[in-house]
Amino acid sequence: MADTQYILPNDIGVSSLDCREAFRLLSPAERLYAHHLSRAAWYGGLAVLLQTSPEAPYIYALLSRLFRAQDPDQLRQHALAEGLTEEDYQAFLVYAAGVYSNMGNYKSFGDTKFVPNLPKEKLERVILGSEAAQQHPEEVRGLWQTCGELMFCLEPRLRHLGLGKEGITTYFSGNCTLEDAKLAQDFLDSQNLSAYNTRLFKEVDREGKPHYEVRLASVLGTEPSPDSEVTSKLKSYEFRGSPFQVTRGDYAPILQKVVEQLDKAKAYAANSHQKQMLAQYIDSFTQGSIEAHKRGSRFWIQDKGPIVESYIGFIESYRDPFGSRGEFEGFVAVVNKAMSAKFERLVASAEQLLKELPWPPAFEKDKFLTPDFTSLDVLTFAGSGIPAGINIPNYDDLRQTEGFKNVSLGNVLAVAYATQREKLTFLEEDDKDLYILWKGPSFDVQVGLHELLGHGSGKLFVQDEKGAFNFDQETVINPETGEQIQSWYRTGETWDSKFSTIASSYEECRAESVGLYLCLHPQVLEIFGFEGADAEDVIYVNWLNMVRAGLLALEFYTPEASNWRQAHMQARFVILRVLLEAGEGLVTITPTTGSDGRPDARVRLDRSKIHSVGKPALERFLRKLQVLKSTGDVAGGRALYEGYAAVTDAPPECFLTLRDTVLLRKESRKLIVQPNTRLEGSDVQLLEYEASAAGLIRSFTERFPEDGPELEEILTQLATADARFWKGPSEAPSGQA
């Protein structure tokens, strides 16, 4: 059997997302709007398979064929007859549910590969003897031959997503190195092209010269089309001695289905903002235009307080090893009015609270653009995973000048972060009951502050194409050096493009730190209804949760490559390091032996020192983070952040040894079962499923009732068309450090 790092356990937690009441309260038109947006999101989410690993589309197609021909109960009878035990078959169901839930065979949270926890020979017997194989023997055997070996393979390079020797990725062809990624980013910046909806493919000619293709995601390919901002870019370039070709048409048949559903949703839009938003999204996905997506995002920002909220596109760059390319995601959700009222009060206090942050006013936006901040019950979240909260759009220019929206995903928080006492690791016994009591409320506070005042704060110093600055060069002083500002962002440069591989984690760390810092403010706690002893308990549990999360984060560090696989968890480890460095016994980590005789550890936070020791330490750290970000000081930012993110076995903490303890006692992230919507006449029905691996599989089997086989064909054809770029997937490109 595989190392436990690379399997999903049979007893993995599975929860169903409850949005029945929120859906019931929708009007017929709102239900139709939500239905078509959900269809668009689910279709687009299939692109994530092509953004993850070379084998992921084939695994998905194989599983879909199996379970369409026999549901999990029927296939179980066949599996037992083939000699599998109940445990073997449950392991297969958990694996299949994991592939559907992560949209691929790598965990969305941690980027680690997971493999079936049963012998390959047993799984092969089930697949080749299945009803699907009897109906379509050549197709099923062909899929198994294509992905069976890779499904189980744990060669070092295939264990994690990464670039070059560090792992596998399909954002880049298999022969790309970090140097190629840097060159391509410089090329994109020179042409004022965003990387968000691109992939990079490199081919080497007989003379050994590399040729690069930058491929945009779009419905349209090479066929003639009306002039747009994209068509003029579709040509050959010479950049620093290397040929570049900008093309489009990536994921074309998938995006065609997205566009069709967005067009249907327009008929049920509640206002002109939504109609114009959808029109721009359609143009974006059709043409391959990030500029059109930005225009759609402007209308989305202006659509304040909709009953049905949504967003869709190539959004988060966490899983691009270089940190610039966006994974497709789409969500549809319904407003939870009671919790949203608290967030509205937080928004009303935002300008005052921003003044409490520990950097000079010149480092804050000139004008706080009051955002929407709502608590939502998710109906659909398509992509590789579901977050607890979101602050979007991610476009720096829009965030600085037009604003953003914050959402807290209430029904996700309710199921994904529920905690059982017996599964609580690394806490003192006398902390556990308090932790369970206040974890949910404290997390509501942290998510609110993190999204609104964390991601929503801070100014980037920019020089535009005309040479004008958005800050006063003469008077603005760097509080860390006492000197005038020496660096800034130039035209075409963004936070992601400049800080690349650390951008996501650094920004998550800044937002988490803002949350910890501002939760100490009495006004914040009053907004959420906490005063006196309750307020102090919320503060304590919020800080304790962050300290514990920093320890748990060690699961996502890879010692062999000295790198982190998950931005949020790296951020939490950095905060733990900052608080440990504060000293005076604020935070202690003590190795112990558990009741089972195996290594264990306990974290302790001295609540009497949070205000006196923790706050000043966090204040100093936060100011440095913001100043380095504002000024675009990549060298300084990397030195600071990578210094804190380093994992060694130096005493007193001995983090590498602690990592072994964390791995020994880790609990797998829950799988979440989502409902489907189905159009019956002019009515939309909500279809719900049981909270089990089999229920999750059924939800996907019923997700594409009209065109499941067609989608499997599309995915395998798209994967096969590019398969040459990852031939010999276990071979790393040469010259990559």
Side-chain angles (χ1 to χ4, degrees):
M1 292 294 98
D3 186 317
T4 56
Q5 284 186 71
Y6 305 108
I7 59 167
L8 303 178
N10 278 14
D11 63 351
I12 192 169
V14 185
S15 296
S16 287
L17 211 52
D18 181 10
C19 60
R20 187 182 313 160
E21 182 62 14
F23 184 79
R24 185 184 69 80
L25 295 172
L26 295 179
S27 71
E30 288 164 349
R31 290 186 182 191
L32 285 161
Y33 183 65
H35 168 72
H36 290 298
L37 290 175
S38 292
R39 303 307 301 149
W42 287 124
Y43 280 126
L46 296 173
V48 176
L49 294 159
L50 296 154
Q51 294 180 303
T52 301
S53 69
E55 67 273 14
Y58 301 103
I59 296 173
Y60 175 92
L62 179 61
L63 294 174
S64 295
R65 280 185 177 263
L66 280 178
F67 291 113
R68 194 170 55 253
Q70 292 169 284
D71 80 9
D73 290 342
Q74 294 168 331
L75 193 62
R76 175 177 171 274
Q77 298 306 317
H78 161 62
L80 296 180
E82 288 287 353
L84 273 71
T85 64
E86 290 281 5
E87 290 74 22
D88 289 333
Y89 186 61
Q90 177 65 14
F92 173 54
L93 290 186
V94 166
Y95 175 78
V99 170
Y100 285 135
S101 189
N102 292 277
M103 268 293 100
N105 56 330
Y106 286 75
K107 295 175 188 174
S108 66
F109 205 81
D111 297 343
T112 304
K113 188 173 186 177
F114 58 95
V115 301
N117 190 25
L118 72 159
K120 180 170 175 276
E121 300 72 29
K122 286 188 173 183
L123 182 54
E124 183 173 45
R125 289 205 302 272
V126 171
I127 289 169
L128 298 185
S130 67
E131 187 68 32
Q134 291 175 35
Q135 292 171 2
H136 302 283
E138 288 185 18
E139 290 91 334
V140 171
R141 184 174 290 277
L143 286 169
W144 174 250
Q145 288 174 345
T146 302
C147 68
E149 287 293 333
L150 284 169
M151 192 186 285
F152 283 84
C153 184
L154 283 173
E155 290 181 19
R157 189 186 171 214
L158 303 185
R159 293 174 186 170
H160 308 289
L161 297 179
L163 193 55
K165 287 181 181 177
E166 305 301 330
I168 193 76
T169 177
T170 48
Y171 284 114
F172 298 86
S173 55
N175 58 355
C176 281
T177 66
L178 185 60
E179 287 70 33
D180 295 315
K182 289 176 179 174
L183 179 67
Q185 186 63 58
D186 289 346
F187 165 72
L188 289 167
D189 289 346
S190 76
Q191 298 302 317
N192 205 20
L193 271 171
S194 170
Y196 270 120
N197 64 341
T198 70
R199 292 198 288 169
L200 182 70
F201 299 90
K202 179 174 81 169
E203 295 195 85
V204 181
D205 64 22
R206 291 180 180 177
E207 284 72 48
K209 184 175 185 177
H211 295 248
Y212 298 96
E213 177 195 358
V214 173
R215 190 187 302 167
L216 311 181
S218 67
V219 175
L220 294 176
T222 55
E223 65 272 21
S225 64
D227 279 350
S228 73
E229 58 249 326
V230 175
T231 50
S232 63
K233 306 275 190 182
L234 302 174
K235 59 184 180 182
S236 299
Y237 301 79
E238 188 83 10
F239 183 75
R240 295 183 188 166
S242 293
F244 276 80
Q245 180 84 24
V246 177
T247 67
R248 67 179 174 186
D250 216 0
Y251 326 119
I254 292 173
L255 291 177
Q256 176 62 45
K257 290 183 176 287
V258 174
V259 163
E260 288 168 1
Q261 292 298 324
L262 293 177
D263 195 49
K264 289 179 179 178
K266 274 167 64 179
Y268 306 103
N271 54 53
S272 62
H273 288 315
Q274 291 180 359
K275 287 178 182 175
Q276 292 176 91
M277 169 189 83
L278 293 173
Q280 292 295 334
Y281 291 165
I282 288 168
D283 190 41
S284 172
F285 299 140
T286 302
Q287 300 283 346
S289 168
I290 289 296
E291 289 304 314
H293 197 268
K294 284 185 181 180
R295 290 192 292 271
S297 297
R298 282 191 180 93
F299 289 119
W300 179 71
I301 293 166
Q302 293 163 19
D303 184 27
K304 303 285 189 185
I307 300 297
V308 177
E309 183 62 282
S310 68
Y311 198 61
I312 190 168
F314 297 90
I315 312 300
E316 301 292 356
S317 57
Y318 301 127
R319 298 183 94 196
D320 169 15
F322 192 68
S324 294
R325 287 151 192 81
E327 182 175 85
F328 194 97
E329 72 178 40
F331 78 84
V332 184
V334 183
V335 171
N336 177 320
K337 292 182 179 177
M339 193 63 184
S340 295
K342 294 180 181 179
F343 289 139
E344 285 167 15
R345 289 182 60 203
L346 188 64
V347 170
S349 304
E351 286 193 78
Q352 182 183 344
L353 291 170
L354 283 171
K355 295 173 184 174
E356 302 292 328
L357 291 172
W359 48 78
F363 287 75
E364 195 48 70
K365 295 185 184 76
D366 301 333
K367 184 179 188 305
F368 181 69
L369 300 156
T370 305
D372 236 13
F373 196 169
T374 47
S375 177
L376 304 175
D377 285 340
V378 172
L379 175 64
T380 296
F381 206 113
S384 66
I386 311 180
I390 319 170
N391 175 287
I392 38 182
N394 286 329
Y395 305 121
D396 291 335
D397 48 352
L398 291 195
R399 296 174 64 80
Q400 295 286 316
T401 60
E402 314 248 352
F404 51 88
K405 281 188 183 181
N406 299 276
V407 295
S408 173
L409 306 178
N411 59 341
V412 176
L413 287 169
V415 298
Y417 298 92
T419 307
Q420 294 175 287
R421 194 181 198 282
E422 61 271 19
K423 292 190 174 183
L424 259 183
T425 52
F426 307 124
L427 291 182
E428 299 281 4
E429 282 300 315
D430 56 4
D431 275 333
K432 288 185 177 180
D433 289 335
L434 195 70
Y435 183 90
I436 289 170
L437 179 63
W438 292 108
K439 165 93 180 289
S442 72
F443 204 66
D444 283 336
V445 173
Q446 179 68 12
V447 168
L449 294 171
H450 172 117
E451 300 297 347
L452 175 66
L453 296 162
H455 292 313
S457 64
K459 178 176 181 173
L460 303 185
F461 294 158
V462 177
Q463 182 183 26
D464 67 21
E465 63 276 7
K466 296 176 183 175
F469 291 88
N470 70 342
F471 65 99
D472 190 328
Q473 281 187 288
E474 298 299 319
T475 62
V476 176
I477 300 297
N478 183 326
E480 294 296 308
T481 65
E483 299 173 354
Q484 291 179 327
I485 304 304
Q486 303 293 319
S487 57
W488 49 83
Y489 297 79
R490 290 172 171 80
T491 300
E493 291 182 333
T494 66
W495 164 249
D496 280 337
S497 71
K498 274 184 82 73
F499 283 72
S500 64
T501 53
I502 66 165
S504 292
S505 182
Y506 188 113
E507 174 59 12
E508 291 305 324
C509 185
R510 197 182 68 88
E512 290 282 44
S513 298
V514 167
L516 281 189
Y517 186 74
L518 287 180
C519 84
L520 301 175
H521 201 288
Q523 183 186 353
V524 168
L525 297 166
E526 286 171 19
I527 287 170
F528 285 88
F530 307 119
E531 296 181 19
D534 286 353
E536 287 302 317
D537 284 344
V538 167
I539 291 170
Y540 176 63
V541 170
N542 195 31
W543 279 59
L544 180 63
N545 186 47
M546 188 64 69
V547 168
R548 177 176 180 261
L551 179 61
L552 295 176
L554 288 167
E555 175 192 343
F556 301 95
Y557 178 77
T558 307
E560 299 81 7
S562 298
N563 70 8
W564 286 88
R565 305 188 310 276
Q566 216 290 324
H568 296 78
M569 299 310 282
Q570 180 183 11
R572 290 162 189 166
F573 177 77
V574 166
I575 293 170
L576 170 63
R577 289 283 311 276
V578 170
L579 297 180
L580 281 164
E581 188 182 82
E584 298 188 42
L586 173 68
V587 175
T588 54
I589 304 174
T590 308
T592 63
T593 301
S595 58
D596 56 4
R598 300 188 300 173
D600 205 341
R602 292 289 176 268
V603 293
R604 181 174 281 281
L605 170 70
D606 187 337
R607 67 187 297 165
S608 70
K609 294 178 179 174
I610 291 174
H611 292 271
S612 60
V613 178
K615 183 180 179 182
L618 203 56
E619 188 172 292
R620 292 189 294 271
F621 177 63
L622 246 182
R623 182 167 52 247
K624 287 180 182 176
L625 285 180
Q626 183 56 52
V627 167
L628 293 164
K629 181 181 178 180
S630 289
T631 57
D633 183 352
V634 179
R638 281 193 176 277
L640 174 74
Y641 199 68
E642 290 174 348
Y644 278 114
V647 179
T648 71
D649 229 12
E653 288 82 23
C654 305
F655 283 119
L656 284 174
T657 300
L658 276 174
R659 178 180 176 272
D660 293 335
T661 304
V662 170
L663 289 174
L664 189 67
R665 300 192 176 277
K666 75 183 180 75
E667 183 183 358
S668 293
R669 196 171 174 84
K670 285 181 182 176
L671 304 179
I672 296 181
V673 183
Q674 298 188 55
N676 286 319
T677 56
R678 178 171 296 168
L679 193 56
E680 296 182 2
S682 59
D683 294 330
V684 179
Q685 302 298 320
L686 185 71
L687 306 179
E688 297 175 289
Y689 303 88
E690 66 176 16
S692 67
L696 200 156
I697 291 165
R698 288 189 182 98
S699 74
F700 266 89
T701 304
E702 296 182 12
R703 194 143 282 155
F704 304 107
E706 309 90 359
D707 50 7
E710 179 195 352
L711 292 169
E712 292 149 24
E713 186 73 16
I714 285 170
L715 286 165
T716 54
Q717 285 178 355
L718 291 174
T720 302
D722 289 327
R724 71 186 189 280
F725 291 113
W726 295 280
K727 281 193 175 158
S730 62
E731 300 167 19
S734 60
Q736 170 65 17

